[in-house]
Amino acid sequence: MMDDMESGSMGSYQDRPRTFPDMRTKPYTPLVFQIIMGLNTRFLFVLMLLAFGFIFYIGASTSPIIVFVFSVCIISFLVSIYLTKWVLAKDEGPPEMVQISYAIRDGAEGFFRTQYGTISRMAVLLALVILSIYLLRERTPQQEAAGVGRVSSAFITVISFLLGALCSGIAGYVGMWVSVRANVRVSSAARRSAREALQIAVRAGGFSALIVVGMAVLGIAILYSSFYVWLGVDSHGSMKVTDLPLLLVGYGFGASFVALFAQLGGGIFTKAADVGADLVGKVEQGIPEDDPRNPAVIADLVGDNVGDCAARGADLFESIAAEIISAMILGGTMAQRCKIEDPSGFILFPLVVHSFDLVISSVGIFSIRGTRGAGVAAEDPMRILEKGYSVTIVLAVLTFGASTRWLLYTEQAPSAWMNFALCGLVGIITAYLFVWITKYYTDYKYEPVRTLALASSSGHGTNIIAGVSLGLESTALPVLVISVSIISSYWLGHSSGLLDEAGNPTGGLFGTAVATMGMLSTAAYVLTMDMFGPIADNAGGIVEMSQQPESVREITDVLDAVGNTTKATTKGFAIGSAALASFLLFSAYMDEVASFARVPFKEVDIAVPEIFVGGLLGSMLIFLFSAWACSAVGRTAQEVVNEVRRQFIERPGIMDYQEKPDYGRCVAIVASASLKEMIKPGALAIISPIAVGIVFRILGHYIGHPLLGAKVVAAMLMFATVTGILMALFLNTAGGAWDNAKKYIETGALGGKGSECHKAAITGDTVGDPFKDTAGPSIHVLIKMLATITLVMAPIFL
């Protein structure tokens, strides 16, 4: 078969059938958008003016800083609308490309509708559980002093949870919506110019990134200012502004909840389809990747959108939301201890940082311009993306310094803002190092991936051994970077000159929070690079399926290889930010327990047997969760393999282009299985910390240790975070390296496509698929969700 293809005896591209039947079903539009589009234009305009007026009214009633945040977010939405119009104005190419794009679009939107319908029902059920808990729990001294009753507190938390879940779902939908429309336009542009195709993919990813970050910032700002006005914060006998951020915890939990299930369901879908397509198509039948004869190819391309776009949008939304809320809590706590006259700057600082993130990332996106050059060798797409990232980093340093001077200057410690600016610089450097380290271990321009590719020349087993060892080795440098970052930022905050009433330095934790904000200060551009990956991957699939000339496929192959690296670097970036954010949320959890218990809670002694067991359970949870996620991919992939083999046997004309494969059958199999398989590991993540906390709370009651439940959960969270960071680094890097080792061989190295070395590399890539796109990304969402769920559920552990 391979000899026939190489010799061209199967017919030229022009001789093969290039028309596809109309694959499009009735287009799906969410009900909310259907209602909006059905409204009269003038009425809709007036409605938007009223909404903006209300937003700015509550902002003006809260703080001028909130007005600034609202203004930047709205401008960023207008910029994203411009990017959308620019991308959609590009041509979709010939009819065969359009028909394939329709099939991908319908499959992605259909799965999204079903998946998020399931997640919505689960979210409503969990909201009722949270409501019941908060109606029965005790109030904190701060809430009693402010007159906030149990009912108010319960509904505030539930509203925050549901709003966080809703915004996370919208972020996922936006990521999927743009990718399924940009992919075919990138494919069409690749027929003319590599740089034009790159620019379209970047701007499409930029649209999604600006919406995701803007929604995270705007959602928290609206929630904060609404509670501020509703509760009459800082008026006589009401809640203090320093206690207000604790009411936002439910928002982060809602975002984490949706992100976890979106990542699990989307990850299982995309990798099961990918593994099934590769094992039968590339390995058994010897046909190229994304060949139209493979019945699983449409399911594979759909998976790129629901797994790498929709899920990643929800993931980054959750990361930003969790980091903002935890930093606001710590900023308020520190300002209260230091008796700072106007604490609003320390509380709202995270919102301002991410507002500037929207501005500087927009500049980075627009710095990538298109040219009419058609060559691939003359332009390195990765270098072009790195130039945009460099522009964004330089601007981030400048705006971060300005933000600290504006908001963190206080007469009590006039030089403290400089220390915090240095903390932000530590975070920015940490982000850059994470991107560089991940690129070093996953880009085939560097030695680790080339060594892995060379190991493939001696067989499948040595490829697997080399990939596992590379993944294990890749955990060292990131952990050293995180360690230095945490210690240096804590020390800078500790020595800032801010003192509590007893004269003790108290800025250490807030310094770490500022470093986390620095790390995420370029999040929108990093997410742009991440979204670029699946869009380029889809574009390559459309080019292959529509049987375009080899020169077009060469362009999309280069973009796809770069996309694999950018996806891996974004995952590394997300893991680093998750480590710092989880550390902050852990500190916030200890403060929350102290507030409810009304006793100090500053340390957890792991020498106590029950507490050590809690830590052991936390580490076990990461391994069990990873095992269930990977096995879910394996079981679903088996169903795909059986279906693809059945079609090849029962429809022998498929291989000769005489019969069309049944693409829809594979899409249906993967969609059904992935929705079923995501429940088990997701339920494990939610139930485990609650069950452990309640069991040890009861045990503590009988042995006279009233805080045992809270301490065991703290140990569980601590150990799960440490284990999860290492496991996620290993899985993401190993999977990315296996993928790019295969891509490196496909460039012609070590025998090229069809060689024994290539077959071994395909095996490695197949093993790495559930690592890098299912278990790995889900773990760093898991550790942040564990932190937020323990924070929300803290009262039931006491």
Side-chain angles (χ1 to χ4, degrees), residues 260 263-264 267-268 271 312 315 567-568 570-572 574-576 578 622 625-627 629-630 633 723-736 767-784:
L260 180 67
Q263 189 67 69
L264 275 171
I268 293 168
K271 290 302 107 181
R312 195 76 72 250
D315 178 3
K567 285 190 291 184
T570 305
K571 290 166 190 169
I575 293 167
I622 299 298
F625 178 89
S626 303
C630 289
V633 173
T723 307
I725 291 166
L726 294 172
M727 179 68 83
L729 285 169
F730 161 67
L731 295 174
N732 283 330
T733 309
V767 172
D769 275 340
F771 283 20
K772 66 184 176 70
D773 285 326
T774 306
S778 298
I779 287 172
H780 74 252
V781 178
L782 168 66
I783 60 178
K784 285 178 290 184

Side-chain angles (χ1 to χ4, degrees), residues 267-557:
I268 293 168
F269 187 111
T270 182
K271 290 302 107 181
D274 195 2
V275 169
D278 283 355
L279 285 178
V280 183
K282 294 171 70 174
V283 177
E284 294 182 8
Q285 298 295 330
I287 58 179
E289 185 175 2
D290 300 324
D291 191 288
R293 292 169 291 179
N294 193 327
V297 69
I298 291 292
D300 185 11
L301 296 175
V302 168
D304 291 335
N305 295 285
V306 298
D308 290 335
C309 290
R312 195 76 72 250
D315 178 3
L316 264 292
F317 176 90
E318 181 267 343
S319 294
I320 294 166
E323 177 265 332
I324 290 175
I325 292 169
S326 59
M328 291 175 76
I329 292 172
L330 292 174
T333 302
M334 188 193 70
Q336 187 175 29
R337 289 174 180 171
C338 297
K339 301 295 182 183
I340 293 174
E341 186 176 347
D342 182 13
S344 60
F346 288 86
I347 296 171
L348 299 178
F349 179 67
L351 295 174
V352 173
V353 169
H354 284 292
S355 297
F356 278 121
D357 173 20
L358 292 168
V359 176
I360 62 177
S361 295
S362 298
V363 175
I365 292 165
F366 282 104
S367 70
I368 298 175
R369 299 182 178 273
T371 64
R372 300 302 297 176
V376 180
E379 299 179 296
D380 181 357
M382 193 68 204
R383 183 164 296 179
I384 295 169
L385 293 174
E386 286 174 345
K387 286 180 181 177
Y389 186 46
S390 299
V391 170
T392 307
I393 284 181
V394 170
L395 293 175
V397 172
L398 297 176
T399 56
F400 205 95
S403 301
T404 52
R405 179 63 181 82
W406 173 25
L407 298 173
L408 302 185
Y409 177 82
T410 174
E411 294 291 342
Q412 294 174 233
S415 63
W417 71 271
M418 295 183 65
N419 284 52
F420 291 127
L422 291 174
C423 290
L425 184 61
V426 168
I428 292 170
I429 293 172
T430 301
Y432 180 80
L433 290 176
F434 256 85
V435 169
W436 186 88
I437 291 168
T438 311
K439 185 178 73 169
Y440 173 74
Y441 278 108
T442 57
D443 194 331
Y444 62 60
K445 295 176 185 174
Y446 301 102
E447 183 181 357
V449 173
R450 295 197 175 202
T451 303
L452 175 57
L454 184 62
S456 305
S457 61
S458 54
H460 300 253
T462 49
N463 172 279
I464 300 301
I465 293 170
V468 170
S469 63
L470 185 150
L472 294 172
E473 179 188 325
S474 69
T475 62
L477 286 178
V479 168
L480 291 175
V481 169
I482 291 174
S483 302
V484 172
S485 175
I486 290 175
I487 292 173
S488 58
S489 59
Y490 186 92
W491 180 83
L492 284 167
H494 190 74
S495 59
S496 63
L498 289 170
L499 307 174
D500 61 15
E501 290 181 294
N504 300 316
T506 188
L509 279 177
F510 187 68
T512 307
V514 173
T516 309
M517 286 181 271
M519 187 171 186
L520 285 169
S521 62
T522 57
Y525 188 85
V526 173
L527 180 57
T528 298
M529 292 196 297
D530 181 80
M531 292 292 185
F532 164 86
I535 291 172
D537 192 357
N538 253 214
I542 292 173
V543 166
E544 180 73 48
M545 282 199 72
S546 60
Q547 300 169 339
Q548 299 299 310
E550 190 65 27
S551 59
V552 181
R553 181 68 197 193
E554 287 176 5
I555 290 175
T556 55
D557 278 348

Side-chain angles (χ1 to χ4, degrees), residues 513-658:
V514 173
T516 309
M517 286 181 271
M519 187 171 186
L520 285 169
S521 62
T522 57
Y525 188 85
V526 173
L527 180 57
T528 298
M529 292 196 297
D530 181 80
M531 292 292 185
F532 164 86
I535 291 172
D537 192 357
N538 253 214
I542 292 173
V543 166
E544 180 73 48
M545 282 199 72
S546 60
Q547 300 169 339
Q548 299 299 310
E550 190 65 27
S551 59
V552 181
R553 181 68 197 193
E554 287 176 5
I555 290 175
T556 55
D557 278 348
V558 171
L559 296 180
D560 186 16
V562 171
N564 283 334
T565 302
T566 58
K567 285 190 291 184
T569 56
T570 305
K571 290 166 190 169
F573 174 88
I575 293 167
S577 64
L580 294 176
S582 297
F583 176 71
L584 302 181
L585 288 167
F586 177 75
S587 302
Y589 166 75
M590 297 184 75
D591 288 341
E592 180 84 340
V593 170
S595 295
F596 281 108
R598 309 189 185 202
V599 295
F601 184 52
K602 296 185 178 298
E603 59 185 26
V604 178
D605 186 1
I606 60 172
V608 176
E610 293 87 354
I611 296 175
F612 179 78
V613 168
L616 198 59
L617 292 173
S619 295
M620 177 272 293
L621 173 63
I622 299 298
F623 282 89
L624 184 59
F625 178 89
S626 303
W628 285 1
C630 289
S631 63
V633 173
R635 284 192 296 271
T636 308
Q638 286 175 6
E639 295 185 42
V640 178
V641 167
N642 292 334
E643 173 61 22
V644 175
R645 284 174 176 166
R646 182 192 67 79
Q647 290 198 33
F648 277 129
I649 293 170
E650 296 180 3
R651 301 185 181 187
I654 289 176
M655 292 301 294
D656 298 325
Y657 296 94
Q658 301 302 314

